[in-house]
Amino acid sequence: MEYQLIDGKATATAIKQQIAEEVKAITKAGGKQPHLVAILVGHDGGSETYVKNKVIACEQCGFKSTLIRYEADVTEDELLACVDKLNKDDDVDGFIVQLPLPKHIDEQKIIMAIDYRKDVDGFHPVNVGRMAIGLPCFISATPLGILTLLQHYHIPTSGKKCVILGRSNIVGKPMAQLM
């Protein structure tokens, strides 16, 4: 049996370079620089790292990025007001509300408040539904990354058997549908 090494870091670097070239061409032609906003609540170590990496990726791709930080005691109403403001801000092309959120905030309520057209995490039910029926949408990062790697290395999945461990709404369920 033949094996193929899949190099995620090298693939990511190549894709970021390609995106950076596209962004340069867009802005040179007078187009808008893409703008991603990340909302980070509290000081969860994993979330801090994930968001930091998003900011770095934005820089590498030529995107404008904004980080909005709240302490863990932020109210649900304050967070909802921030989401509403970003939904209405024409300069913001997409945003994420980094999960998990503190226990006193209803994550689903926050996700539902995000305009699905700016929901780059792909968590809003409209994006999940569009993905399920094959319409253009935002897809959760990990499943999209896996799909991108498979496509980049020309690894066909049609007619193959795939094993997906877990059934989370963020990785397992979307991955199963994409396969």
Side-chain angles (χ1 to χ4, degrees):
M1 180 175 255
E2 187 179 321
Y3 293 96
Q4 181 177 10
L5 178 65
I6 296 175
D7 189 337
K9 286 189 179 200
T11 304
T13 298
I15 290 171
K16 287 176 200 169
Q17 288 172 343
Q18 180 183 345
I19 292 169
E21 290 171 19
E22 291 173 20
V23 170
K24 273 186 202 165
I26 289 167
T27 55
K28 190 175 180 181
K32 179 186 170 309
Q33 181 184 25
H35 184 188
L36 176 73
V37 176
I39 301 172
L40 182 59
V41 179
H43 299 279
D44 176 77
S47 293
E48 296 263 359
T49 301
Y50 185 81
V51 168
K52 181 180 121 191
N53 288 336
K54 288 285 177 232
V55 170
I56 292 168
C58 281
E59 288 172 14
Q60 293 170 336
C61 293
F63 286 26
K64 178 181 175 182
S65 69
T66 303
L67 173 58
I68 299 173
R69 297 185 75 103
Y70 288 102
E71 291 301 318
D73 63 354
V74 66
T75 68
E76 188 173 271
D77 286 342
E78 286 175 298
L79 198 51
L80 286 168
C82 180
V83 166
D84 185 57
K85 183 179 174 190
L86 295 174
N87 283 339
K88 293 174 181 171
D89 187 340
D90 290 336
D91 185 54
V92 174
D93 298 295
F95 65 96
I96 65 169
V97 178
Q98 181 61 37
L99 303 178
L101 293 171
K103 299 278 186 239
H104 67 280
I105 296 176
D106 181 347
E107 288 183 356
Q108 199 57 42
K109 191 173 183 180
I110 302 301
I111 290 168
M112 292 296 292
I114 298 171
D115 182 333
Y116 76 92
R117 294 164 297 192
K118 292 188 177 191
D119 167 39
V120 294
D121 265 333
F123 296 163
H124 192 284
V126 171
N127 281 319
V128 174
R130 290 177 67 90
M131 180 196 66
I133 60 174
L135 292 176
C137 64
F138 288 111
I139 298 172
S140 299
T142 301
L144 181 58
I146 293 166
L147 200 61
T148 301
L149 283 170
L150 292 170
Q151 290 167 346
H152 182 80
Y153 283 91
H154 309 289
I155 298 170
T157 57
S158 183
K160 305 283 181 171
K161 293 182 180 181
C162 301
V163 176
I164 298 164
L165 302 176
R167 57 177 186 247
S168 70
N169 290 335
I170 295 171
V171 179
K173 288 177 186 174
M175 196 73 243
Q177 288 186 330
L178 290 167
M179 288 293 105

